[in-house]
Amino acid sequence: MQNLHSTAELPSLRRQKILLLLERDGKVMAAELSRHFSVSEDTIRRDLAELDAAGLVQRVHGGALPRPKDSGKDYFTRVGETDVVKMRLAQFAAQWVQEGQTVLFDSGSTTLHIARSLPWDIGLTAVTASPLIAVALAEYSRVRVILAGGQLNPATLAASGHEALRMLQGIKADLLFTGVCAIHPEIGISSLHFDEVPIKQAMFDSAAQVIAVTTADKLGAMEPFVVAPCNRLHRLVTEREVASAELEGYRQQGVEVLQV
């Protein structure tokens, strides 16, 4: 009986150790875990499925990644939060906006902060699918605002659909500030919302330069729908507290990483 009881405990103990390895390494692969624990890959896949169902990991092809910490927050919650870190990152990123440019602003609380951080006397053409960002930019007397229309996604408060997509595909912008739900050096930028993926992809295709601004909790994370690989980014702006080693994978993709 003692033996049977110990054997029954093994899966739960193994899953706890998998979580520890995930916390240490930032990702786990089924083949490596199979060798590490001397069990079959099918057994590991069942472990990862259980952990994913419990909301403890994000399953990906061949393994698992950490779950983003705040992906479940609605837009109004994120915008309403006083986030000193996001404001600092946004103020730093706003320096790349130059007089006379055409700038794409993706949806998101951080990109809203960037819009609010622009110099009051700057003149530019701003394009966005986010009504909240459009309203914020309308306060600037020398900013011409173009708002993409379509069906409003209540989760992101941004337009999606054929009308928004067609309009964005006709834009040739100097700069894009892309929103980041999750970003991983190997998998790229990914989103929780399927219908915003083509909008984001159209923005990537329309911009000469792409800047992603993100807090540390989005790094190394993944959501179900991939938007673009990291090598589509020109710059990644994130927190100064992030260890340099954690950012090396992004640099290897040719991304200029800046910590603020």
Side-chain angles (χ1 to χ4, degrees):
M1 293 295 292
Q2 176 102 24
N3 239 0
L4 289 174
H5 182 66
S6 298
T7 301
E9 286 183 340
L10 282 175
S12 62
L13 293 173
R14 184 173 60 246
R15 289 165 193 163
Q16 290 177 23
K17 292 178 180 178
I18 288 172
L19 291 174
L20 291 173
L21 289 170
L22 181 60
E23 183 178 358
R24 186 192 71 183
D25 299 335
K27 67 175 180 178
V28 290
M29 304 303 294
E32 295 173 4
L33 292 174
S34 172
R35 291 191 293 270
H36 182 82
F37 292 107
S38 299
V39 296
S40 70
E41 287 192 40
D42 283 342
T43 297
I44 293 297
R45 280 191 282 270
R46 285 193 293 271
D47 287 338
L48 296 180
E50 290 287 337
L51 292 170
D52 181 76
L56 298 173
V57 306
Q58 172 71 58
R59 288 189 72 192
V60 296
H61 180 68
L65 296 170
R67 283 244 179 211
K69 293 178 184 178
D70 67 345
S71 60
K73 293 182 181 179
D74 64 77
Y75 191 90
F76 283 113
T77 300
R78 287 181 281 123
V79 169
E81 290 174 336
T82 302
D83 195 322
V84 175
V85 173
K86 283 186 180 181
M87 293 175 66
R88 186 179 76 231
L89 296 175
Q91 289 166 2
F92 180 80
Q95 70 178 296
W96 274 283
V97 180
Q98 298 178 17
E99 178 75 22
Q101 285 187 324
T102 297
V103 182
L104 283 161
F105 290 86
D106 194 4
S107 61
S109 56
T110 303
T111 45
L112 177 59
H113 282 306
I114 295 171
R116 291 170 172 168
S117 299
L118 297 174
W120 280 110
D121 60 346
I122 196 165
L124 56 90
T125 298
V127 184
T128 185
S130 166
L132 286 182
I133 293 176
V135 169
L137 290 166
E139 296 181 15
Y140 293 81
S141 62
R142 298 184 61 236
V143 174
R144 180 175 63 164
V145 182
I146 299 174
L147 177 61
Q151 182 174 338
L152 193 68
N153 183 328
T156 63
L157 288 186
S160 62
H162 296 298
E163 292 300 322
L165 187 61
R166 183 162 52 248
M167 194 275 275
L168 291 169
Q169 288 171 337
I171 298 290
K172 290 301 177 187
D174 299 291
L175 178 62
L176 161 64
F177 290 110
T178 184
V180 176
C181 187
I183 182 169
H184 189 278
E186 296 174 13
I187 295 158
I189 295 174
S190 55
S191 173
L192 186 63
H193 307 286
F194 176 76
D195 60 348
E196 76 173 0
V197 171
I199 299 297
K200 288 179 176 290
Q201 290 174 338
M203 288 185 170
F204 268 81
D205 292 340
S206 297
Q209 184 179 151
V210 182
I211 299 177
V213 184
T214 183
T215 49
D217 57 307
K218 308 290 183 64
L219 298 171
M222 180 190 172
E223 290 294 357
F225 307 110
V226 177
V227 174
C230 285
N231 61 17
R232 295 292 304 277
L233 296 176
H234 294 86
R235 291 189 179 95
L236 173 63
V237 178
T238 192
E239 299 176 53
R240 56 175 170 254
E241 292 80 9
V242 179
S244 182
E246 294 181 36
L247 300 169
E248 187 56 34
Y250 303 97
R251 295 189 179 100
Q252 290 175 359
Q253 296 287 335
V255 182
E256 180 184 6
V257 180
L258 301 165
Q259 294 179 259
V260 186

